[in-house]
Short mmCIF file of all heavy atoms in Angstrom, two decimals:
data_model
loop_
_atom_site.label_atom_id
_atom_site.label_comp_id
_atom_site.label_asym_id
_atom_site.label_seq_id
_atom_site.Cartn_x
_atom_site.Cartn_y
_atom_site.Cartn_z
N THR A 74 46.46 -13.88 21.02
CA THR A 74 47.76 -14.56 21.04
C THR A 74 48.78 -13.76 21.83
O THR A 74 48.77 -12.53 21.85
CB THR A 74 48.29 -14.78 19.61
OG1 THR A 74 49.54 -15.50 19.69
CG2 THR A 74 48.55 -13.46 18.89
N THR A 75 49.66 -14.49 22.50
CA THR A 75 50.81 -13.88 23.17
C THR A 75 52.11 -14.48 22.64
O THR A 75 53.18 -14.30 23.24
CB THR A 75 50.73 -14.09 24.69
OG1 THR A 75 50.67 -15.51 24.95
CG2 THR A 75 49.50 -13.41 25.28
N ASP A 76 52.03 -15.15 21.51
CA ASP A 76 53.18 -15.83 20.90
C ASP A 76 53.76 -14.94 19.80
O ASP A 76 53.09 -14.66 18.80
CB ASP A 76 52.71 -17.16 20.31
CG ASP A 76 53.85 -17.97 19.71
OD1 ASP A 76 55.01 -17.48 19.69
OD2 ASP A 76 53.58 -19.09 19.23
N VAL A 77 55.00 -14.50 19.96
CA VAL A 77 55.61 -13.61 18.97
C VAL A 77 55.74 -14.28 17.60
O VAL A 77 55.78 -13.60 16.57
CB VAL A 77 56.97 -13.09 19.47
CG1 VAL A 77 58.01 -14.21 19.50
CG2 VAL A 77 57.44 -11.92 18.61
N HIS A 78 55.78 -15.61 17.56
CA HIS A 78 55.79 -16.29 16.26
C HIS A 78 54.58 -15.90 15.42
O HIS A 78 54.64 -15.88 14.19
CB HIS A 78 55.79 -17.82 16.45
CG HIS A 78 57.06 -18.37 17.01
ND1 HIS A 78 57.36 -18.30 18.35
CD2 HIS A 78 58.11 -19.02 16.42
CE1 HIS A 78 58.53 -18.90 18.58
NE2 HIS A 78 59.01 -19.31 17.41
N ASP A 79 53.47 -15.57 16.10
CA ASP A 79 52.25 -15.21 15.37
C ASP A 79 52.37 -13.86 14.67
O ASP A 79 51.56 -13.54 13.80
CB ASP A 79 51.04 -15.19 16.32
CG ASP A 79 50.56 -16.60 16.65
OD1 ASP A 79 50.77 -17.51 15.82
OD2 ASP A 79 49.99 -16.79 17.74
N HIS A 80 53.37 -13.07 15.03
CA HIS A 80 53.57 -11.80 14.33
C HIS A 80 53.80 -12.05 12.84
O HIS A 80 53.29 -11.29 12.00
CB HIS A 80 54.75 -11.05 14.94
CG HIS A 80 54.87 -9.64 14.46
ND1 HIS A 80 53.96 -8.66 14.81
CD2 HIS A 80 55.77 -9.04 13.62
CE1 HIS A 80 54.31 -7.51 14.24
NE2 HIS A 80 55.40 -7.72 13.51
N SER A 81 54.51 -13.11 12.52
CA SER A 81 54.77 -13.44 11.12
C SER A 81 53.59 -14.13 10.46
O SER A 81 53.55 -14.24 9.23
CB SER A 81 56.03 -14.31 11.00
OG SER A 81 57.18 -13.57 11.37
N ARG A 82 52.64 -14.58 11.25
CA ARG A 82 51.39 -15.14 10.69
C ARG A 82 50.37 -14.03 10.47
O ARG A 82 49.54 -14.12 9.57
CB ARG A 82 50.84 -16.21 11.62
CG ARG A 82 51.82 -17.37 11.84
CD ARG A 82 51.28 -18.45 12.77
NE ARG A 82 52.25 -19.51 12.94
CZ ARG A 82 52.92 -19.73 14.08
NH1 ARG A 82 52.66 -18.99 15.17
NH2 ARG A 82 53.81 -20.71 14.16
N ILE A 83 50.41 -12.99 11.30
CA ILE A 83 49.52 -11.84 11.13
C ILE A 83 49.98 -11.00 9.95
O ILE A 83 49.21 -10.66 9.04
CB ILE A 83 49.46 -11.01 12.43
CG1 ILE A 83 48.75 -11.81 13.53
CG2 ILE A 83 48.75 -9.67 12.18
CD1 ILE A 83 48.87 -11.20 14.91
N ARG A 84 51.26 -10.66 9.95
CA ARG A 84 51.85 -9.90 8.83
C ARG A 84 52.53 -10.92 7.91
O ARG A 84 53.74 -11.03 7.86
CB ARG A 84 52.83 -8.87 9.38
CG ARG A 84 52.14 -7.83 10.23
CD ARG A 84 53.08 -6.76 10.74
NE ARG A 84 52.31 -5.74 11.45
CZ ARG A 84 51.69 -4.72 10.87
NH1 ARG A 84 51.76 -4.56 9.56
NH2 ARG A 84 51.00 -3.85 11.58
N ASP A 85 51.70 -11.64 7.17
CA ASP A 85 52.16 -12.82 6.46
C ASP A 85 52.63 -12.49 5.04
O ASP A 85 52.64 -11.34 4.60
CB ASP A 85 51.07 -13.89 6.45
CG ASP A 85 49.79 -13.46 5.73
OD1 ASP A 85 49.77 -12.37 5.11
OD2 ASP A 85 48.81 -14.22 5.78
N HIS A 86 53.01 -13.53 4.32
CA HIS A 86 53.47 -13.37 2.93
C HIS A 86 52.41 -12.70 2.07
O HIS A 86 52.73 -11.84 1.24
CB HIS A 86 53.81 -14.74 2.33
CG HIS A 86 55.05 -15.37 2.86
ND1 HIS A 86 55.14 -15.88 4.14
CD2 HIS A 86 56.27 -15.57 2.28
CE1 HIS A 86 56.36 -16.38 4.32
NE2 HIS A 86 57.06 -16.20 3.22
N GLN A 87 51.17 -13.09 2.27
CA GLN A 87 50.09 -12.55 1.43
C GLN A 87 49.93 -11.05 1.64
O GLN A 87 49.73 -10.30 0.67
CB GLN A 87 48.78 -13.27 1.76
CG GLN A 87 47.62 -12.85 0.86
CD GLN A 87 46.32 -13.57 1.21
OE1 GLN A 87 46.17 -14.11 2.29
NE2 GLN A 87 45.39 -13.57 0.27
N ALA A 88 50.04 -10.58 2.89
CA ALA A 88 49.89 -9.15 3.16
C ALA A 88 50.95 -8.35 2.40
O ALA A 88 50.65 -7.30 1.81
CB ALA A 88 50.00 -8.88 4.66
N ALA A 89 52.18 -8.83 2.42
CA ALA A 89 53.25 -8.14 1.70
C ALA A 89 53.03 -8.20 0.20
O ALA A 89 53.15 -7.19 -0.52
CB ALA A 89 54.60 -8.75 2.07
N MET A 90 52.69 -9.35 -0.30
CA MET A 90 52.57 -9.55 -1.74
C MET A 90 51.42 -8.73 -2.34
O MET A 90 51.56 -8.10 -3.39
CB MET A 90 52.36 -11.04 -2.04
CG MET A 90 52.47 -11.41 -3.50
SD MET A 90 54.13 -11.15 -4.14
CE MET A 90 53.90 -11.83 -5.79
N ILE A 91 50.28 -8.69 -1.65
CA ILE A 91 49.13 -7.93 -2.15
C ILE A 91 49.47 -6.45 -2.27
O ILE A 91 49.22 -5.80 -3.29
CB ILE A 91 47.90 -8.14 -1.23
CG1 ILE A 91 47.35 -9.56 -1.38
CG2 ILE A 91 46.81 -7.11 -1.56
CD1 ILE A 91 46.28 -9.89 -0.35
N ALA A 92 50.08 -5.89 -1.21
CA ALA A 92 50.36 -4.46 -1.20
C ALA A 92 51.45 -4.09 -2.20
O ALA A 92 51.35 -3.05 -2.88
CB ALA A 92 50.76 -4.01 0.20
N THR A 93 52.48 -4.90 -2.32
CA THR A 93 53.55 -4.61 -3.27
C THR A 93 53.04 -4.71 -4.70
O THR A 93 53.36 -3.86 -5.56
CB THR A 93 54.75 -5.54 -3.04
OG1 THR A 93 55.24 -5.33 -1.71
CG2 THR A 93 55.87 -5.26 -4.03
N THR A 94 52.23 -5.71 -4.98
CA THR A 94 51.63 -5.84 -6.31
C THR A 94 50.77 -4.62 -6.64
O THR A 94 50.83 -4.08 -7.75
CB THR A 94 50.78 -7.12 -6.40
OG1 THR A 94 51.59 -8.26 -6.11
CG2 THR A 94 50.15 -7.28 -7.78
N ARG A 95 50.01 -4.19 -5.68
CA ARG A 95 49.13 -3.03 -5.86
C ARG A 95 49.93 -1.77 -6.16
O ARG A 95 49.61 -1.01 -7.08
CB ARG A 95 48.31 -2.85 -4.58
CG ARG A 95 47.31 -1.72 -4.58
CD ARG A 95 46.71 -1.60 -3.18
NE ARG A 95 45.59 -0.69 -3.12
CZ ARG A 95 45.02 -0.30 -1.98
NH1 ARG A 95 45.46 -0.77 -0.81
NH2 ARG A 95 44.00 0.54 -1.98
N ALA A 96 51.00 -1.55 -5.40
CA ALA A 96 51.81 -0.34 -5.58
C ALA A 96 52.53 -0.35 -6.92
O ALA A 96 52.60 0.69 -7.61
CB ALA A 96 52.81 -0.22 -4.44
N ILE A 97 53.07 -1.49 -7.32
CA ILE A 97 53.76 -1.56 -8.61
C ILE A 97 52.79 -1.34 -9.76
O ILE A 97 53.12 -0.67 -10.75
CB ILE A 97 54.51 -2.91 -8.73
CG1 ILE A 97 55.71 -2.91 -7.77
CG2 ILE A 97 54.96 -3.17 -10.16
CD1 ILE A 97 56.47 -4.22 -7.73
N ASP A 98 51.57 -1.86 -9.62
CA ASP A 98 50.55 -1.61 -10.65
C ASP A 98 50.26 -0.11 -10.78
O ASP A 98 50.18 0.43 -11.89
CB ASP A 98 49.27 -2.36 -10.29
CG ASP A 98 48.10 -1.97 -11.19
OD1 ASP A 98 48.13 -2.31 -12.38
OD2 ASP A 98 47.18 -1.29 -10.69
N LEU A 99 50.13 0.57 -9.64
CA LEU A 99 49.90 2.01 -9.67
C LEU A 99 51.05 2.74 -10.35
O LEU A 99 50.85 3.63 -11.18
CB LEU A 99 49.73 2.53 -8.24
CG LEU A 99 48.38 2.29 -7.57
CD1 LEU A 99 48.52 2.36 -6.05
CD2 LEU A 99 47.35 3.31 -8.06
N ALA A 100 52.27 2.36 -9.99
CA ALA A 100 53.45 3.02 -10.56
C ALA A 100 53.51 2.85 -12.07
O ALA A 100 53.79 3.81 -12.81
CB ALA A 100 54.71 2.47 -9.91
N LYS A 101 53.23 1.66 -12.53
CA LYS A 101 53.32 1.41 -13.98
C LYS A 101 52.20 2.10 -14.74
O LYS A 101 52.42 2.67 -15.81
CB LYS A 101 53.33 -0.09 -14.25
CG LYS A 101 54.62 -0.76 -13.82
CD LYS A 101 54.64 -2.24 -14.14
CE LYS A 101 56.01 -2.84 -13.83
NZ LYS A 101 56.06 -4.29 -14.11
N ARG A 102 50.98 2.08 -14.18
CA ARG A 102 49.88 2.73 -14.90
C ARG A 102 50.06 4.24 -14.98
O ARG A 102 49.69 4.87 -15.97
CB ARG A 102 48.55 2.39 -14.20
CG ARG A 102 48.04 0.99 -14.51
CD ARG A 102 46.61 0.79 -14.09
NE ARG A 102 46.42 0.77 -12.66
CZ ARG A 102 45.91 1.77 -11.93
NH1 ARG A 102 45.55 2.91 -12.53
NH2 ARG A 102 45.74 1.65 -10.62
N HIS A 103 50.64 4.82 -13.93
CA HIS A 103 50.83 6.27 -13.90
C HIS A 103 52.25 6.69 -14.32
O HIS A 103 52.57 7.87 -14.28
CB HIS A 103 50.51 6.81 -12.50
CG HIS A 103 49.07 6.67 -12.14
ND1 HIS A 103 48.08 7.44 -12.71
CD2 HIS A 103 48.45 5.83 -11.27
CE1 HIS A 103 46.91 7.10 -12.19
NE2 HIS A 103 47.10 6.12 -11.31
N HIS A 104 53.06 5.71 -14.71
CA HIS A 104 54.44 5.95 -15.13
C HIS A 104 55.17 6.81 -14.10
O HIS A 104 55.73 7.86 -14.41
CB HIS A 104 54.50 6.60 -16.51
CG HIS A 104 55.83 6.39 -17.18
ND1 HIS A 104 56.22 5.17 -17.69
CD2 HIS A 104 56.88 7.24 -17.38
CE1 HIS A 104 57.44 5.29 -18.19
NE2 HIS A 104 57.87 6.52 -18.01
N HIS A 105 55.19 6.31 -12.87
CA HIS A 105 55.73 7.07 -11.73
C HIS A 105 56.81 6.24 -11.05
O HIS A 105 56.57 5.09 -10.67
CB HIS A 105 54.61 7.39 -10.74
CG HIS A 105 54.90 8.55 -9.85
ND1 HIS A 105 54.00 9.56 -9.62
CD2 HIS A 105 56.01 8.88 -9.14
CE1 HIS A 105 54.53 10.45 -8.81
NE2 HIS A 105 55.76 10.06 -8.50
N ARG A 106 57.99 6.81 -10.85
CA ARG A 106 59.07 6.11 -10.18
C ARG A 106 58.66 5.67 -8.78
O ARG A 106 58.09 6.44 -8.02
CB ARG A 106 60.31 7.01 -10.09
CG ARG A 106 61.07 7.12 -11.38
CD ARG A 106 62.06 8.26 -11.34
NE ARG A 106 62.93 8.21 -10.16
CZ ARG A 106 63.71 9.20 -9.79
NH1 ARG A 106 63.73 10.34 -10.47
NH2 ARG A 106 64.49 9.07 -8.73
N PHE A 107 59.00 4.40 -8.45
CA PHE A 107 58.55 3.83 -7.18
C PHE A 107 59.61 2.90 -6.62
O PHE A 107 60.16 2.05 -7.33
CB PHE A 107 57.24 3.07 -7.36
CG PHE A 107 56.71 2.48 -6.08
CD1 PHE A 107 56.15 3.30 -5.12
CD2 PHE A 107 56.79 1.13 -5.83
CE1 PHE A 107 55.69 2.78 -3.92
CE2 PHE A 107 56.34 0.59 -4.65
CZ PHE A 107 55.78 1.41 -3.68
N HIS A 108 59.89 3.05 -5.33
CA HIS A 108 60.90 2.26 -4.62
C HIS A 108 60.20 1.40 -3.58
O HIS A 108 59.51 1.92 -2.69
CB HIS A 108 61.91 3.20 -3.97
CG HIS A 108 63.07 2.52 -3.32
ND1 HIS A 108 63.98 1.76 -4.02
CD2 HIS A 108 63.48 2.51 -2.01
CE1 HIS A 108 64.91 1.31 -3.18
NE2 HIS A 108 64.62 1.75 -1.96
#
């Protein structure tokens, strides 16, 4: 692709949601402050 609109399809909602969910789970299980 050469369409910059595809940047938001590559780095999509799911990519953000999966990683944030994962990090918050780690923080809560280890009782570690996380931003």
